[in-house]
Amino acid sequence: MMNTKHTDAGSVRDPREPGHEGEVLGVDVLDTSEAEARAEAILREHDTAARYRLDSELGPWRIAVFVVALALTGFQVWTALAGSRPTLIQGAVHVGGAMGLIFMLYPLHKSLSLKETTTRGRYLIALVVDTVLALAAMGCSAYIVFGYGHLNSLDVQLFGYTALDTTVALVGILLILEGTRRCVGLPIVVIAIIALLYWWLGKYSPFLSHAGSTWENVVQQTFFTSRAVFGTPIQVSSTFVFLFLVFGVVLVKTDIGGYFNELAFRLTGRYTGGPAKAAVVASALQGTVTGSSVANTVASGSFTIPMMKKVGFKPTFAAATEATASTGGQIMPPIMGAAVFIMAEYTAMPYSTIILVAIIPAFLYFAGVMVAVHFEAKRHGIAGIPANQLPTWMFLLKRLDLLLPLAVIITLLMSGRTPANSAIWGIVVALVISFFRKHTRLDLRGFIDVLESGARVALPVIAACATAGIVAGVVTSTGLGGRLSGGIVDGAGVIVKAIGLIDDVNDVDQFGVKFALVLVFTMLACIVLGMGLPTTANYVVTASVAAPILIMEFDVPVLAAHLFVFYFGLLADITPPVCLAAFAASGIAKSNPLRSGVTALRVALAGFIVPFVFVVEPALIFQGSASVGQFAVTFVTVAVGMVAIAAGSAGYFFACNSLVETIVLLVAGIALVFPNIVVSIVGIVLVVALAALQIARRRTADPAAPAA
């Protein structure tokens, strides 16, 4: 949702000296400017959205950026209060303003940054060219705003668009794709280009072919209708997602990130492996206000990773823990990386229903990570932090007001208020709270800076939504979703028959083997599609391409299917070889990036099970014909199964595992999450028996040792 960072204000401070900047928890606090510079460098290296021109590099263009950003934010606030404009006009102003800012802020290539170029002249030429592109992008959107009557006229319906219309549409699409490449990255642009070519040249496609279309029709329908560029993602982004981004900026200004860190350490810091557990809790809390796995990793990890290393965790494991927890922050209600608002539109379900349902799988994901951290710490004998080095509850209670804006947002949304109205009130409350403390108090200049920053942090989201909308539009216009669903299902049946599991493909369904294979294929597709994509674009692409497979072919409840693809799209951030969050964390931990990614997979292993469970057993998220009894049984067996899997992957349960014990734990864990009560009972028996065996062995070795 936004890229933010915090400095030493976000570190855990000695409660006896709230302003103390000396030694904190036994770790020397780095100079603020040095810490900021390091975090900024890591973020710019691994997050495309952070590679913008700095204010010092813009020179006289700084005024233009300020004016356009302020105008864009002003338009969004005005329409939130007075009512949205027609879909195309609202979207055109939203996208046009964003693209103008993107071309002024994001260079063609990072080598054209003033600090890295050899001549100032080369830099100025690039900036002038980008200004022309910015004006062209805004001009294409202005063409829609001022030509709205013509574009929706009877003449167009009878005789079609003019040559000028088509030219403007083509230029507008190309500029959107280029702007997206600059601030989001190449992967989503490549997907969009392939999608457009598929729409145009579908009859020549070697697989999933269709009748195709003319290139003129493709660009016209993509740019002048509400089915592609200005489809659901941009409609949602232009009405209330933008406001939630501004809300996040104001929260950062109030130092809520620092409060989250302090609260996390108070809750978990003194227990076994305390700093790692605090990292998990802090990242979960950070995820409620940020929408980028990489930004979350850098914001939390710049403090938690050195703390984990200090108490004895290996750099690779410290990086993996932070990356896994920060990625999970995107599935945390109430914001869920802003994708939850698009999910509400796609699934036609109330926002309040989605966040209530999403609480259970999010809890299980973080519980799985927490358990993995616990067993790792026990295996290596890593203790917690002395209680006298942690913030006191009184210290935290004095700053409890920082959570009030979040409470207001959630309360209003749950009471039925619109997201836009809830966001406005959340911003107002957050601004009021900022006046309570001198270091967060906003003067007029500070208030204007917040409005400008709101526009800046929204740029990657807007670009991603516009380009992802192109992909969604192609899927709808060509019927690709249905063709892809049929192809994957048929392919799964053929594979099962080919390896000799079942003789007749038609008998595959009754054994559930085809369904299992389709789930695995869908998971892999989501991970591949999600590599390198921000949260919102990630969800739009996976929901458009992969979710229909589960819904149309296997009658999976709509919300379960959408959460399934959402989870696995996000988990691409910790899945090698891309694993951007793990790479960013390794930069802080100074560990091997690929090894950190592989370790992150191990830490998140139990969490990978959760989406499969709520698809096979929708009772876990109260979908289908779920009852309280079904939910309770499913929840307990899944929770115990995740503990067993985490213990097996960590090599420690109540004592260090032998190879056989590790295998037994993994088998028992899988049995517990298997949707069959008899199989689950077998899993429970194995877990209890192994626990008793290890406790007895441990007591024999050390009679004074505790049972847990």
Side-chain angles (χ1 to χ4, degrees):
M1 187 172 69
M2 57 181 291
N3 292 323
T4 59
K5 63 181 184 295
H6 57 267
T7 60
D8 62 315
S11 63
V12 179
R13 295 182 287 264
D14 188 332
R16 294 162 296 185
E17 299 179 71
H20 184 54
E21 304 232 351
E23 188 173 285
V24 180
L25 301 180
V27 179
D28 292 332
V29 178
L30 293 176
D31 177 74
T32 302
S33 58
E34 180 184 345
E36 272 194 57
R38 183 179 175 188
E40 181 70 23
I42 292 172
L43 198 60
R44 289 173 76 91
E45 179 182 356
H46 297 287
D47 189 358
T48 306
R51 297 172 189 164
Y52 46 82
R53 293 179 172 111
L54 302 176
D55 288 348
S56 59
E57 298 171 344
L58 286 170
W61 280 268
R62 173 71 181 85
I63 298 175
V65 170
F66 172 77
V67 171
V68 176
L70 204 60
L72 179 58
T73 303
F75 172 78
Q76 297 296 158
V77 174
W78 172 62
T79 55
L81 296 172
S84 299
R85 305 300 91 190
T87 299
L88 279 182
I89 293 179
Q90 181 85 13
V93 174
H94 188 66
V95 173
M99 288 299 147
L101 286 171
I102 287 171
F103 283 112
M104 285 188 281
L105 285 172
Y106 291 86
L108 177 68
H109 188 269
K110 63 181 180 180
S111 65
L112 293 175
S113 173
L114 181 60
K115 293 182 178 180
E116 299 177 17
T117 190
T118 53
T119 62
R120 181 173 176 81
R122 179 170 171 245
Y123 170 79
L124 291 175
I125 291 173
L127 196 53
V128 170
V129 171
D130 287 344
T131 302
V132 173
L133 294 178
L135 292 172
M138 290 188 288
C140 289
S141 291
Y143 189 85
I144 293 177
V145 174
F146 294 105
Y148 183 75
H150 158 69
L151 296 173
N152 289 273
S153 67
L154 184 61
D155 284 348
V156 169
Q157 295 177 32
L158 292 177
F159 305 109
Y161 294 97
T162 66
L164 178 60
D165 295 338
T166 305
T167 302
V168 170
L170 178 61
V171 172
I173 293 169
L174 292 175
L175 289 173
I176 287 172
L177 293 175
E178 169 58 14
T180 303
R181 183 195 66 80
R182 293 188 183 198
C183 72
V184 177
L186 191 59
I188 182 63
V189 175
V190 172
I191 294 173
I193 291 173
I194 292 174
L196 289 172
L197 291 174
Y198 175 76
W199 189 358
W200 174 28
L201 304 171
K203 62 183 177 181
Y204 302 110
S205 176
F207 52 89
L208 303 176
S209 62
H210 66 102
S213 183
T214 64
W215 72 266
E216 293 92 346
N217 182 64
V218 170
V219 299
Q220 292 161 3
Q221 295 301 310
T222 298
F223 198 70
F224 290 139
T225 70
S226 58
R227 295 190 296 273
V229 168
F230 303 110
T232 298
I234 281 297
Q235 291 171 30
V236 174
S237 174
S238 65
T239 49
F240 41 81
V241 167
F242 188 98
L243 298 175
F244 278 89
L245 301 177
V246 177
F247 172 67
V249 170
V250 179
L251 284 186
V252 170
K253 178 62 179 175
T254 65
D255 192 27
I256 195 170
Y259 186 76
F260 283 157
N261 272 354
E262 291 158 356
L263 179 60
F265 271 90
R266 176 67 263 183
L267 289 170
T268 63
R270 64 191 180 93
Y271 299 108
T272 300
K277 291 177 179 177
V280 175
V281 175
S283 294
L285 294 172
Q286 290 275 9
T288 61
V289 295
T290 64
S292 165
S293 299
V294 176
N296 196 358
T297 297
V298 174
S300 296
S302 57
F303 179 73
T304 59
I305 289 175
M307 288 299 306
M308 284 187 269
K309 291 172 63 178
K310 178 70 175 180
V311 298
F313 285 104
K314 294 179 180 178
T316 298
F317 189 83
T321 300
E322 181 57 53
T324 303
S326 293
T327 298
Q330 307 307 291
I331 64 177
M332 273 295 294
I335 307 300
M336 296 172 67
V340 65
F341 303 110
I342 301 175
M343 190 180 295
E345 295 293 323
Y346 276 3
T347 62
M349 290 190 175
Y351 168 85
S352 56
T353 299
I354 296 177
I355 62 171
L356 284 175
V357 164
I359 289 173
I360 298 300
F363 171 81
L364 288 172
Y365 176 90
F366 281 103
V369 177
M370 187 74 80
V371 171
V373 165
H374 175 78
F375 288 134
E376 183 77 14
K378 294 292 286 186
R379 184 162 70 95
H380 292 287
I382 299 174
I385 299 169
N388 62 1
Q389 294 185 20
L390 297 172
T392 63
W393 283 114
M394 183 58 67
F395 176 68
L396 293 171
L397 286 173
K398 289 179 180 178
R399 304 171 65 207
L400 191 62
D401 57 283
L402 293 175
L403 299 180
L404 185 59
L406 277 175
V408 168
I409 286 272
I410 295 172
T411 301
L412 292 177
L413 286 169
M414 296 301 293
S415 68
R417 294 287 190 95
T418 65
N421 180 270
S422 302
I424 288 290
W425 277 109
I427 292 169
V428 170
V429 173
L431 287 173
V432 170
I433 286 176
S434 72
F435 285 94
F436 290 178
R437 296 171 183 83
K438 184 176 180 180
H439 71 283
T440 62
R441 192 171 300 143
L442 296 175
D443 54 15
L444 179 60
R445 176 64 189 176
F447 176 73
I448 293 175
D449 283 345
V450 165
L451 297 180
E452 181 189 2
S453 297
R456 287 194 180 210
V457 299
L459 299 181
V461 176
I462 298 172
C465 285
T467 303
I470 294 175
V471 178
V474 171
V475 171
T476 302
S477 300
T478 63
L480 177 61
R483 291 187 180 88
L484 193 60
S485 299
I488 289 182
V489 172
D490 292 342
V494 170
I495 289 174
V496 172
K497 186 176 184 299
I499 61 179
L501 290 178
I502 295 173
D503 293 330
D504 187 353
V505 174
N506 295 322
D507 292 335
V508 172
D509 283 340
Q510 70 185 27
F511 290 89
V513 179
K514 182 191 288 187
F515 185 37
L517 274 177
V518 168
L519 286 178
V520 172
F521 290 162
T522 305
M523 174 194 74
L524 294 175
C526 291
I527 289 175
V528 171
L529 289 171
M531 287 182 175
L533 300 188
T535 303
T536 45
N538 189 323
Y539 169 67
V540 171
V541 172
T542 55
S544 301
V545 176
I549 300 172
L550 305 179
I551 298 169
M552 293 189 298
E553 299 293 337
F554 295 99
D555 293 325
V556 172
V558 172
L559 188 52
H562 279 259
L563 286 174
F564 182 90
V565 301
F566 178 53
Y567 271 50
F568 281 118
L570 289 175
L571 287 173
D573 280 345
I574 54 171
T575 303
V578 179
C579 52
L580 293 179
F583 279 25
S586 69
I588 300 173
K590 298 180 180 178
S591 61
N592 181 283
L594 196 56
R595 287 184 61 191
S596 297
V598 173
T599 305
L601 277 182
R602 177 169 68 83
V603 174
L605 184 59
F608 268 80
I609 304 295
V610 175
F612 285 97
V613 176
F614 64 63
V615 166
V616 177
E617 287 286 354
L620 187 65
I621 55 173
F622 296 104
Q623 298 297 292
S625 55
S627 66
V628 175
Q630 287 176 301
F631 166 78
V633 171
T634 304
F635 182 83
V636 171
T637 55
V638 170
V640 177
M642 290 174 63
V643 170
I645 291 171
S649 62
Y652 186 98
F653 193 21
F654 287 89
C656 288
N657 301 336
S658 65
L659 178 60
V660 173
E661 289 173 335
T662 293
I663 294 173
V664 169
L665 282 168
L666 293 175
V667 170
I670 294 172
L672 279 160
V673 300
F674 193 80
N676 182 289
I677 189 64
V678 175
V679 176
S680 295
I681 290 174
V682 172
I684 289 179
V685 170
L686 289 174
V687 171
V688 171
L690 186 57
L693 177 66
Q694 288 198 353
I695 291 172
R697 186 172 75 224
R698 180 171 158 178
R699 284 180 173 172
T700 300
D702 182 6

